[in-house]
Amino acid sequence: MNPIIVANWKMNPQTLKGAFELTKAVRKGVRSANANVVLCPPYVFIPQLLAAKNMEIGAQNCSWQEQGPLTGEVSPRQLKDLGCSYVILGHSERKKELGETLAMVQRKVAAALTAKLRVILCVESVAELRTLKKKVRSFKNVAVVYEPSFAISTQGGRRVAPRHIAAMVSRLKKVAGRNVPVLYGGSVDAKSMRDIMTKGNVQGALVGAASLKAKEFIALVKNAL
Ligand code: 13P
């Protein structure tokens, strides 16, 4: 299976020009790589970047509701209709900063899967995954990300030993299912990627800060192969 490398740009960059330039550079650099590279820009850039083609584009969030009165929200169907293929759900920053609960994440996962989006589902523990799994019938289009918040570059960036990652991967797979890809997130860069892939036994990575620097991100993708 090709590795899945997901770029979570978070609330960056600040201009459309910056988003175009980053996409263009990444597209050129990863063109021949045997990896599923997914760029997840802020909502506002998605239509323009999709129009530029040739990159898989995902969103960083979506509503749990299919349609209707929910000010400021974007439905999974709208994302699918634009041409998005993926959505990141359950990110710890949304839980911590915006009060997103596991009950909300459960509903979002169900709505996203109904809209035929692939879900990049972030969890910090096996218990969290167990709770989420209760309400989701099939994990067929889900990739689970083990992303402890203390490992995120802007939150301390503590390094997690690859053998610990491997142990978590095996515990998470027991809950999610053998065939569900498990990725790792938290300060992944070009240098750490190879060890995380090989010794951590993951199928890919969710990348924040390092995905905003084209050269670093391209090197990271190559080191995942
Ligand atoms: P960093 O790669 O900057 O630690 O961010 C990780 C993350 O939050 C990706 O979702």
Side-chain angles (χ1 to χ4, degrees):
M1 193 182 104
N2 286 347
I4 307 167
I5 310 293
V6 184
N8 180 6
W9 288 1
K10 308 193 179 181
M11 211 162 64
N12 302 291
Q14 296 311 302
T15 64
L16 178 59
K17 186 167 175 276
F20 264 129
E21 280 167 5
L22 183 54
T23 306
K24 206 171 130 200
V26 169
R27 188 179 52 204
K28 195 160 164 254
V30 303
R31 207 172 7 213
S32 54
N34 286 328
N36 295 333
V37 180
V38 186
L39 302 185
C40 298
Y43 282 143
V44 286
F45 298 143
I46 290 176
Q48 282 93 339
L49 297 190
L50 277 165
K53 297 246 182 355
N54 287 333
M55 283 301 309
E56 291 268 27
I57 302 290
Q60 297 172 20
N61 179 37
C62 71
S63 173
W64 58 70
Q65 215 157 281
E66 220 171 278
Q67 58 181 4
L70 208 47
T71 303
E73 289 296 289
V74 172
S75 79
R77 268 181 66 192
Q78 290 168 331
L79 294 171
K80 183 70 185 178
D81 181 63
L82 275 183
C84 276
S85 31
Y86 290 82
V87 62
I88 299 171
L89 292 175
H91 196 281
S92 59
E93 284 158 7
R94 295 196 58 82
K95 292 189 193 128
K96 203 164 137 195
E97 304 288 335
L98 300 158
E100 197 164 290
T101 63
L102 282 185
M104 290 178 193
V105 179
Q106 274 175 340
R107 293 177 67 189
K108 288 180 183 206
V109 174
L113 292 175
T114 302
K116 305 239 174 319
L117 290 170
R118 291 177 187 275
V119 173
I120 309 290
L121 180 62
C122 305
V123 296
E124 291 200 69
S125 66
V126 180
E128 258 188 17
L129 182 63
R130 231 179 250 124
T131 305
L132 292 166
K133 182 86 199 287
K134 275 185 200 148
K135 290 279 163 73
V136 182
R137 250 180 298 131
S138 159
F139 264 34
K140 197 170 139 236
N141 286 318
V142 176
V144 171
V145 187
Y146 171 49
E147 184 170 86
S149 51
F150 61 74
I152 295 176
S153 62
T154 47
Q155 292 175 54
R158 246 168 62 199
R159 186 179 168 274
V160 179
R163 66 183 153 72
H164 176 70
I165 297 173
M168 272 305 280
V169 170
S170 121
R171 293 178 64 204
L172 290 168
K173 272 186 185 280
K174 275 194 192 122
V175 178
R178 283 275 136 231
N179 297 325
V180 174
V182 178
L183 322 184
Y184 178 72
S187 302
V188 181
D189 57 14
K191 196 159 161 257
S192 58
M193 185 72 258
R194 186 158 289 146
D195 260 9
I196 290 172
M197 283 301 287
T198 52
K199 299 184 191 151
N201 211 15
V202 292
Q203 279 79 53
L206 178 60
V207 187
S211 73
L212 297 170
K213 295 173 256 167
K215 252 176 95 177
E216 174 78 19
F217 187 65
I218 294 161
L220 182 156
V221 171
K222 291 187 175 155
N223 286 347
L225 303 173

